[in-house]
Amino acid sequence: MLGKKFLILLLLVLVFEESKAQFIARDKESYLNYSGRNYENYSISFLRKRFYDNFGNFLIDGSLIFELLENQRQYTGQELGGFSSLTKSRFYYQYFQNLVIASDNYSDFQTRLMIGDAIRTKFTSLTFDKARFNGIRWDGATTKYRGTFIASRVSDPVRFRFDSPLLIDGVQRVRNWAQYLFGGHFETDIGDVLTIGATYVNQHTRRMDVNARDVPFKGVPPNGVPRIIFVRISDDSPKDGSGPIIYAEPVVKINGKRVPTKNINGRTPIPQETVLGAPLQYYVFRNFSIDRTLWVAGADTLSYTAYTPIQGGPGYKFRSMLSALPVYPEQIPSDGNITFGYIIPPGVESVEFEIIVANDFKIEAAHDFVNRLDDWEQPTGARFIPHYDSIAVGTPTFFRLIKRAEGNVKDASNRQVVRFNYALTTGMSVYSLNFKFNWKGFNIEGEFAQSLEWSKYPVGKGPWFTQVGNAFYIKASKKVGRLTFGFERYKIEPVYTTALNIYSLENSYYMQFTGSGYAYLAPDVYGVTAYDVSSNISFIPGGAYFSLVDDNDDRDRWEDGFYFYNATPNPTFENSDVLNPTPDPFLLGYRQNANELIGLTSIIRRPDAGIFPGKDRNNDGIPDDDQNANGIPDYQEDFLTYYSDPPLFDYGDDWNNNGVIDEQENDIYPDYPYEPDINGYHAFTKINFTRNWTAQIGFINENAIARGGINKVSYIKTFYTTSNPRLGSLLLYYVAKRVQDGIPNPVYQYKGVITITSPFPVFTEDPLNYRNSFVHNLYLETRYTQIPNLNIENRVRFELNFQRPLGDPTKALLPEAKYTGDQLEGRITLWGLVHKIDYTIKFLNGRLEIKPQFKVRTVKETKLGYFDVGGQLRRITVINQHTQETIPIFRVGYKLTDRSVFNFGLQGLTMIGLPDAFAYRIRNLKDGTGSENRSTIAFSLTNQSSYKGYSIVVDFGYKFTKRKFIKPGEERYSRDESAIFFTVIAGF
């Protein structure tokens, strides 16, 4: 009976299941009870989908974070061409803070893959060193081997701010023209004495809508067909009054064959002669440049890159009419140039030039175009604009450097024939071998690197041309007892490069659409004012510069500055272009990174802001001159001035002789181990007399290869320091050197101060005070502490520069003498003296502390030399500066409780009725300007407590200052100043 019932039930189920398939009802779900199961909420922010690999294997149920896709496919008309696409979603920022890391390991092999916007990456100093590499980095290592691979679309990497939320879903960029970076570094240890490494890094331009076999790692050129090729000859040292010489009209070869030429100054090109086989028509211009006056994107009313512009203006025809033809041989003025403009007919696939020149020449080339074409096998059709069209407005490229003369020759002894093919840069690579060796007191380290820069004519199937640059250094030392012998040899050729400097048809990395037109987007804009979130629209062409080695002298998270076309000033940060002040979008400029110039007194302090190499010895991100980060240098601030002094009182080596301590230099060069364009060596012997006393003798010999100039230094240096808990301490630094240095080393300098709210250094030319000198440099510091609670400190900074005559004495007082190297005998003397004493008296078991302090600070700089007085040379002493500060201070501190302290202070004691002799006296002993008496009284109450896990400090008080100017006529500047403050600070 039971079996019969079960059979009937089974039949009913089967019939029900079969009939269910016949229903058209859409009821898909049934009742669920969640009393015993977890409830899964709807996804709100992390939108998930199923992801599969190329083989159809399921990967994950999730959301896209990052995707880089390069699809190389030729455009055929029926099928779309390829593309380069880079996508970063908002989860890349929100969940991963712009950094995604994957890792794996097997046995002793470990590997890590990183994708980020700011990955600190360094291979070697001559190849790749970036504080904020934006791309993909893959590391692998065993106990013996280490390797790294990197890749990035450097032209449009998509950059997110690190300190502000992103409100959009993400950014996707699709490009046809793009610049890519690929590279890697490998190292291995041989025993425990030798490490060797190899590096290769490549950057090149890729185009996605052409056949993949036509896009090598050498890159592809922009396909703007040259209409006019410009060849410009100018002086490489334009301020020395001696220009280059050109001996004959340039020889031109078209498609490998020499062609006759025909000058058409004052005329437009002849249509019948703008063809292959006819004489090549050309213009001659004087003082010619392609600049903002000639061409502004999107504003043809200012474009003069036509033969006879319909909107008027000085087109090529008019400009050539004003230029006289050269009379060979002709010396070009030092501040001018001669430019040849050749009208290029259709069908040209290569153009070669031969120019006979001498002296300190510089040769550059550029072109303008009105057509874009890959090769002449393509049908040109009606859209092809003839190269003789008199009103067609061309798009120009920037001038590309072809060759510079070595040194600064002025006597035509370097007469030579310069041959070059006209081409545009397509890519570059750099590779090197490096090693470190350490065995039995021998320490040897070195690197040998070579750069290759490829270029090609913009149209046709012609060859690539290669420019090779070399760089190397080797450092060796051997310790023998107390002696150390050292030697370093180095050379970085002027053509050695670690940057891709190109003309790009899609200059998307530095351009954005504003709604009313195109605007330049500087590399440092992200992280300051905006996201890099411009859309995938077409961008106008222009110059682009992608560096492999940062200029990052303070070694923080921000590069100090960048090379950039159209590096316009940033008014928010008082930051101008030091190479291209116009600014001109066709000249390469340099500007400091605005992220480095943001005031550190922002409510939420920006990390690593400010550029002060060598001025942050405690590595706290705050300059040593402004430890309280209030925007006022400590040595100019009441009471703190007792503990701080201006940079003039620092000591250290200055082997490039520009008046700035080497470790504190903020230059504009990549952070190579040595300065570019230098060939030199340094040999020294060092002896350790005792643990605290060393002496060193050495010789430096450097030549600036292209710039010209030498730097020869023979020196002896000693350093001694000692410390005794009972007596105190002593530090002695002394250098005597014989110097012949005519190589300028300009750097950014803080003019006497480093401020936090306005941290803008000034780009300062090298005064070249050591072109032919014998120099003594002394720093002495003593501290006496034998008597308890009594401190006596003295600091002496002394430099004596005996300048010897050099060059032509009749020209030494001319304005250009700095650049010609002419100098009269002279002597520059610098004194810096600091004397201070303080004594601490404690009462009430240390709760009451009284501290009188007294400090005198003196600076004096004089120059003894020849000066033009009434038309006659007279040997006189000129005081450049002479100041003295006398600072009496009286301080009282009383500990009210374990958490609260009351402080009272007087700086300058006239506030309590004492005479002016007891004031804080500031004296300009040169001419009295700015001399004053000050007196300050201040008190504050400070409490430190704990609240919610934080350490809370409350500080409030009052300060009053009387300032009395004493020079007649300056009394009106006398005034009273006061400040009331109440501050709450949270810490950990």
Side-chain angles (χ1 to χ4, degrees), residues 103-124:
S103 62
D104 202 354
N105 65 82
Y106 176 76
S107 185
D108 71 334
F109 175 74
Q110 295 182 342
T111 183
R112 177 164 286 131
L113 179 69
M114 293 179 281
I115 301 167
D117 283 12
I119 305 174
R120 178 74 180 135
T121 304
K122 179 176 181 177
F123 292 164
T124 69

Side-chain angles (χ1 to χ4, degrees), residues 354-367:
E354 295 181 3
I355 308 174
I356 306 175
V357 288
N359 284 355
D360 193 18
F361 62 85
K362 179 171 66 175
I363 300 176
E364 303 165 289
H367 80 268

Side-chain angles (χ1 to χ4, degrees), residues 398-418:
F398 60 83
F399 273 96
R400 176 173 176 256
L401 177 64
I402 302 299
K403 187 174 178 62
R404 301 167 64 191
E406 290 192 2
N408 187 6
V409 179
K410 301 178 183 179
D411 59 1
S413 60
N414 64 338
R415 176 172 171 167
Q416 59 191 275
V417 179
V418 176

Side-chain angles (χ1 to χ4, degrees), residues 232 290 292 295 364-366 396-401 424-425 453 499-504 507 509-511 519-523 540-547 562-569 577 579-580 583-591:
R232 184 168 67 187
I290 296 175
R292 186 183 291 274
W295 183 77
E364 303 165 289
T397 69
F398 60 83
F399 273 96
R400 176 173 176 256
L401 177 64
L424 293 181
T425 302
E453 185 178 68
L500 179 62
N501 184 4
I502 61 162
Y503 181 81
S504 176
N507 199 8
Y509 189 33
Y510 298 137
M511 299 296 296
Y520 283 85
L521 181 67
I540 65 174
Y545 192 92
F546 306 103
S547 177
F562 51 87
Y563 289 90
F564 176 49
Y565 287 91
N566 197 62
T568 52
D577 182 353
L579 299 180
N580 175 19
D584 182 337
F586 296 95
L587 293 177
L588 185 66
Y590 179 94
R591 196 183 81 192

Side-chain angles (χ1 to χ4, degrees), residues 482 686-695 719-722:
R482 294 178 180 270
K686 180 179 179 180
I687 182 170
N688 291 65
F689 295 112
T690 66
R691 185 179 61 180
N692 302 324
W693 183 19
T694 65
F719 182 81
Y720 176 75
T721 180
T722 184

Side-chain angles (χ1 to χ4, degrees), residues 639 889-892 903-907 936-940:
F639 302 103
I889 298 174
F890 181 78
R891 297 176 52 177
V892 177
N903 288 292
F904 170 82
L906 291 169
Q907 182 174 275
T936 299
I937 184 171
F939 64 84
S940 68

Side-chain angles (χ1 to χ4, degrees), residues 372-438:
R372 289 177 58 178
L373 201 65
D374 294 330
D375 57 61
W376 296 110
E377 296 177 2
Q378 294 178 237
T380 56
R383 298 179 60 184
F384 188 85
I385 301 173
H387 286 187
Y388 54 77
D389 188 323
S390 63
I391 62 173
V393 175
T395 301
T397 69
F398 60 83
F399 273 96
R400 176 173 176 256
L401 177 64
I402 302 299
K403 187 174 178 62
R404 301 167 64 191
E406 290 192 2
N408 187 6
V409 179
K410 301 178 183 179
D411 59 1
S413 60
N414 64 338
R415 176 172 171 167
Q416 59 191 275
V417 179
V418 176
R419 297 181 177 90
F420 66 94
N421 288 273
Y422 182 74
L424 293 181
T425 302
T426 61
M428 60 78 60
S429 68
V430 58
Y431 54 88
S432 79
L433 294 174
N434 65 284
F435 68 93
K436 291 182 180 180
F437 177 78
N438 188 345

